[in-house]
Amino acid sequence: MQNFQRRFNYLNHENLPLIIGLGVGQGSPDYFWDSNQRKDHLIVFQFTLSGSGNFKSGGQVFAQQTGDFFLTEIPSKSSYTGENWQFIYLELTPIMRQWVEQSSVVVKTASIEFQNKLFSMVDYLKNEEIDLYQNARIAFEFLLMIKAEVAKQMQSANPQAEKLRQYLDQHYQTDLSLDHLEIIFEESKYRLIKTFEAAYQDTPMAYLRKVRILKSLELLWGKQTIYQIAEAVGFSSSNYFSKVFKKEMGLSPTEYIACKQIKKAD
């Protein structure tokens, strides 16, 4: 890609997630970017097209090669340097920070799918005139792209967590506990929790409850009783099922069935 810069200016941001600027840049031998010196508050994304660089954050240095990217909040205690380093960058409004768990995110060797979507988005934004709401939609979709890519990499880096997830998906109807999983996977429950949380941002048992609730939704459209449905998806009692269902869905199974009947009547 050839170097370019593009800015988007709106009179009122309406506190929306927005792409403020983007472009393709080049790092020279003496290139040094210190985010702590920036006065504007932004989220910066940078994807390496060619060459190499180093991104420093939280006392760690992350080598950046072709296909790598990072996302960081500025100003912050982060910096990056590079030589013959060509990269795509995007500057986003700081409201994006509320949907990102860490102040800095680093991904090594982004998937081809992610890269193709990124290049397509940048080509579109390079010349198109877009209004505030089109920008917000694209910005949020871009954030979801990043989160999906980060999740994919975290999961592939934790094969044990993936095996555990598959086991929970396949055995949700049975009576499972951390003690049971500890025996099956020959790993301490504390280690299983830590590994699973790193990959899925949830504990194994919290994930299991969500799977059971999702499985129950289809059954609630049938003729089974709540007691039968609770038993079918692995809950020890209908009362506990109802309690978890309301916590996850915001309404009780009985209220959900009532809403379903209204929709059928319509």
Side-chain angles (χ1 to χ4, degrees), residues 6 10 43 66 91 116 146 154 188 217 241:
R6 176 83 194 274
Y10 304 102
I43 304 295
T66 303
E91 296 175 335
N116 288 339
I146 293 173
M154 291 178 70
S188 76
L217 294 179
F241 166 60

Side-chain angles (χ1 to χ4, degrees), residues 20 39 49 58-59 74 76 97 120 133 147 150 165 171 184 203 220 227 259:
I20 300 300
K39 295 180 180 179
L49 290 168
I74 60 169
S76 66
R97 176 69 178 85
S120 177
Y133 304 107
K147 290 180 74 68
V150 170
R165 185 195 65 78
H171 298 85
I184 293 295
T203 67
L220 285 166
Y227 172 81
C259 291

Side-chain angles (χ1 to χ4, degrees), residues 163-175:
K163 288 179 183 178
L164 176 52
R165 185 195 65 78
Q166 290 178 0
Y167 186 87
L168 295 173
D169 286 344
Q170 293 166 6
H171 298 85
Y172 69 91
Q173 295 171 302
T174 61
D175 183 17

Side-chain angles (χ1 to χ4, degrees), residues 7-217:
R7 302 287 299 176
F8 296 98
N9 298 303
Y10 304 102
L11 292 177
N12 184 359
H13 287 178
E14 296 187 17
N15 209 27
L16 291 170
L18 296 172
I19 297 168
I20 300 300
L22 77 159
V24 171
Q26 187 83 31
S28 60
D30 58 350
Y31 181 73
F32 176 74
W33 197 95
D34 184 355
S35 71
N36 210 31
Q37 300 301 313
R38 290 286 297 264
K39 295 180 180 179
D40 41 352
H41 188 191
L42 297 169
I43 304 295
V44 173
F45 167 88
Q46 189 162 302
F47 174 89
T48 299
L49 290 168
S50 62
S52 62
N54 288 301
F55 171 61
K56 184 176 181 180
S57 178
Q60 290 183 280
V61 178
F62 303 92
Q64 296 289 288
Q65 305 288 338
T66 303
D68 300 344
F69 73 77
F70 64 83
L71 185 78
T72 189
E73 184 176 14
I74 60 169
S76 66
K77 293 181 180 179
S78 64
S79 62
Y80 48 90
T81 59
E83 184 174 348
N84 298 321
W85 188 18
Q86 190 185 36
F87 49 81
I88 292 172
Y89 70 88
L90 284 92
E91 296 175 335
L92 306 118
T93 49
I95 194 174
M96 302 286 268
R97 176 69 178 85
Q98 67 179 301
W99 295 296
V100 181
E101 286 74 21
Q102 303 90 18
S103 60
S104 293
V105 173
V106 180
V107 167
K108 301 293 291 181
T109 316
S111 66
I112 296 301
E113 180 186 9
F114 178 89
Q115 294 187 40
N116 288 339
K117 287 181 178 179
L118 173 65
F119 298 155
S120 177
M121 182 187 74
V122 169
D123 283 341
Y124 176 77
L125 292 173
K126 185 176 179 180
N127 299 305
E128 290 292 327
E129 294 300 328
I130 57 172
D131 64 27
L132 180 74
Y133 304 107
Q134 288 173 307
N135 188 317
R137 176 181 56 78
I138 294 169
F140 199 73
E141 287 176 354
F142 178 55
L143 173 67
L144 294 178
M145 277 173 52
I146 293 173
K147 290 180 74 68
E149 189 69 15
V150 170
K152 187 187 301 181
Q153 294 232 347
M154 291 178 70
Q155 291 156 20
S156 64
N158 290 278
Q160 180 81 328
E162 174 62 13
K163 288 179 183 178
L164 176 52
R165 185 195 65 78
Q166 290 178 0
Y167 186 87
L168 295 173
D169 286 344
Q170 293 166 6
H171 298 85
Y172 69 91
Q173 295 171 302
T174 61
D175 183 17
L176 296 177
S177 68
L178 284 172
D179 290 334
H180 173 86
L181 297 175
E182 193 174 44
I183 295 169
I184 293 295
F185 288 90
E186 299 180 339
E187 190 81 74
S188 76
K189 63 183 75 174
Y190 307 106
R191 181 65 181 170
L192 286 174
I193 291 171
K194 185 176 180 180
T195 301
F196 197 85
E197 278 188 314
Y200 295 101
Q201 292 76 58
D202 227 338
T203 67
M205 301 314 289
Y207 175 83
L208 177 62
R209 287 193 293 271
K210 290 175 182 177
V211 170
R212 287 171 168 169
I213 294 302
L214 285 173
K215 297 293 183 181
S216 75
L217 294 179

